[in-house]
Amino acid sequence: MSASLAPECNEIKERYDTCFLKWYSEKYLRGNSAQDECAGLFKQYRSCLNKALKEKGIDQMIEEARETTAETDAEHLKR
C-alpha cells in the first residue's frame, strides 16, 4: 500500500487500507455487506490528512482547484 501524503497519517492510512481491502474483497464483492465497515477509520484518516494539508497551506490550493474544476465541469456538461 502507498504512503499518505502526510507522513504523520501513515499509520491510520495503513489501517484503513487494510480494513477496506478486506471488507471489499471478502464481503462487498460477494454481496454480504453493502455498508462500508471501515468508514470510521476513513474519517480518522481524512481528519488527519486535512489537518496536515491545512498546516502546510495546501488546503487553499485544493479548494481553488476544486472551484476551477467545478466551472470547467459545468461548461463541459452543457455540451
Side-chain angles (χ1 to χ4, degrees), residues 22-61:
K22 182 176 180 176
W23 167 79
Y24 186 75
S25 64
E26 294 179 7
K27 294 186 180 179
Y28 182 77
L29 289 177
R30 296 176 185 186
N32 295 330
S33 176
Q35 182 178 353
D36 182 356
E37 298 172 2
C38 307
L41 287 172
F42 178 73
K43 287 180 184 179
Q44 289 177 27
Y45 173 59
R46 185 177 60 194
S47 175
C48 180
L49 188 58
N50 285 339
K51 180 181 175 192
L53 294 176
K54 187 172 185 172
E55 288 172 356
K56 296 175 183 179
I58 298 172
D59 63 324
Q60 191 60 38
M61 289 188 292

Side-chain angles (χ1 to χ4, degrees), residues 58-69:
I58 298 172
D59 63 324
Q60 191 60 38
M61 289 188 292
I62 292 172
E63 189 58 38
E64 290 171 6
R66 285 182 177 147
E67 289 173 10
T68 302
T69 303

